[in-house]
């Protein structure tokens, strides 16, 4: 029977112990992402909107070029959130596929939705409802970008990416708000990458730093701090 998936499902068994995901190259240079679930296969477009529909964010941003004062009403905000959920599902799959650049693309795209809703939504609920997810999306983007840097042996760049994400998450926290778990995750990843200097070299740098601070030479102190943090 045409369209029967039995043979495809038989060739790709479901494994409950891991995320079952793969790229599939189709005709016309089209690539899709397939996820094997217990009851079948989910398929998403690699580019554009995952379900192949009209990209609501793209439409909105095109309108904003000519209508910079355009506001986001409740209906449009709901459409953007629904689309962001699709994008979230895709970047989870992409992370498993180690397609880090595409994860950065999709998380950056969802953060753009967060910004637009925060700035332009007419309803207070729509302006704030996505903010609870901001640390998670920032952390996922930083993790993917850092892993991409590590793949290119750019350890120092990876550490800077993680530090910047921690600072951004902390900068968005309300006063007295508890730190989200994403901060500990990012700092743990950064600490694993922190180079271990020989004790004699570290001791020398720390001594020079203390001397610079005592002499109120803060410019030199800043340089020495950077050396302590980044010297391979």
């Amino acid at each position: 029977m045409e369209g029967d998936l039995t043979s495809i499902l038989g060739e790709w068994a479901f494994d409950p112990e891991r995320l079952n995901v793969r790229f599939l190259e189709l005709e016309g240079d089209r690539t899709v992402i397939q996820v094997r679930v217990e009851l079948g296969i989910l398929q998403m477009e690699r580019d554009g909107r995952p379900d192949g529909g009209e990209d609501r964010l793209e439409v909105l941003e095109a309108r904003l070029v000519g209508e910079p004062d355009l506001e986001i009403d409740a209906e449009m905000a709901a459409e953007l959130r629904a689309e962001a959920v699709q994008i979230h599902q895709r970047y989870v799959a992409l992370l498993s596929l180690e397609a880090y650049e595409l994860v950065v693309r999709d998380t950056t795209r969802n953060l753009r939705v967060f910004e637009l809703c925060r700035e332009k939504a007419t309803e207070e609920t729509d302006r704030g409802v996505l903010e609870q997810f901001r640390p998670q999306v920032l952390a996922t983007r930083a993790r993917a970008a850092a892993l991409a840097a590590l793949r290119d042996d750019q350890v120092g760049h990876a550490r800077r990416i993680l530090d910047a994400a921690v600072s951004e998450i902390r900068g968005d926290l309300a006063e007295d708000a508890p730190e989200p778990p994403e901060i500990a995750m990012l700092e743990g990843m950064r600490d694993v990458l922190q180079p271990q200097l020989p004790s004699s070299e570290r001791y020398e740098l720390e001594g020079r730093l203390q001397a610079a601070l005592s002499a109120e030479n803060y410019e030199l102190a800043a340089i020495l701090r950077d050396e302590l943090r980044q010297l391979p």
Side-chain angles (χ1 to χ4, degrees):
M1 181 177 179
E2 186 176 353
D4 184 13
L5 299 178
T6 301
S7 61
I8 298 175
L9 296 175
E11 294 168 358
W12 188 13
F14 173 69
D15 181 355
E17 300 299 322
R18 64 183 183 88
L19 181 62
N20 302 253
V21 59
R22 68 186 182 186
F23 282 125
L24 185 66
E25 303 291 335
L26 303 179
E27 294 181 359
D29 294 326
R30 177 177 162 225
T31 303
V32 297
I33 304 162
Q34 291 185 336
V35 182
R36 179 69 160 94
V37 295
E38 188 173 6
L39 297 179
I41 294 177
L42 301 178
Q43 181 166 297
M44 297 176 280
E45 298 293 326
R46 184 193 64 184
D47 305 309
R49 183 166 156 147
D51 66 357
E54 183 179 54
D55 190 316
R56 301 304 297 158
L57 176 62
E58 189 175 274
V59 171
L60 173 61
E61 291 187 318
R63 289 185 61 187
L64 285 169
V65 172
E67 305 174 67
D69 296 327
L70 177 71
E71 293 184 320
I72 297 175
D73 61 21
E75 181 180 359
M76 187 184 300
E79 290 178 357
L80 290 171
R81 289 196 299 271
E83 193 170 74
V85 170
Q86 288 191 24
I87 298 293
H88 167 77
Q89 292 171 336
R90 180 168 68 190
Y91 72 64
V92 169
L94 290 169
L95 193 59
S96 181
L97 288 166
E98 300 182 3
Y100 301 130
E101 291 82 2
L102 296 180
V103 176
V104 171
R105 177 201 67 184
D106 278 357
T107 47
T108 300
R109 182 247 185 236
N110 270 5
L111 288 168
R112 176 63 174 155
V113 173
F114 291 11
E115 294 297 332
L116 286 172
C117 287
R118 185 161 68 176
E119 294 170 6
K120 294 184 171 293
T122 57
E123 301 293 329
E124 183 177 354
T125 300
D126 293 329
R127 290 196 294 272
V129 68
L130 291 174
E131 292 305 307
Q132 61 187 309
F133 305 110
R134 185 181 292 273
Q136 183 270 331
V137 181
L138 285 169
T140 300
R141 181 174 69 174
R143 180 184 171 200
L147 289 170
L150 290 174
R151 192 157 53 189
D152 294 333
D153 296 324
Q154 298 177 345
V155 179
H157 182 47
R159 290 200 307 273
R160 288 189 290 274
I161 289 169
L162 298 169
D163 279 334
V166 168
S167 295
E168 187 169 359
I169 292 172
R170 284 193 173 126
D172 279 325
L173 292 177
E175 188 175 355
D176 298 326
E179 288 195 343
E182 286 81 6
I183 287 180
M185 182 273 288
L186 292 171
E187 288 183 332
M189 186 175 178
R190 178 205 60 201
D191 291 345
V192 168
L193 302 176
Q194 185 67 30
Q196 299 301 310
L197 298 179
S199 57
S200 59
E201 188 173 0
R202 181 179 296 278
Y203 180 80
E204 179 186 351
L205 283 173
E206 288 175 346
R208 290 171 60 195
L209 173 59
Q210 290 304 317
L213 290 171
S214 297
E216 298 184 357
N217 188 341
Y218 300 116
E219 183 177 356
L220 176 59
I223 294 171
L224 292 169
R225 281 198 189 97
D226 285 341
E227 288 188 32
L228 275 168
R229 291 171 180 165
Q230 300 180 27
L231 186 66

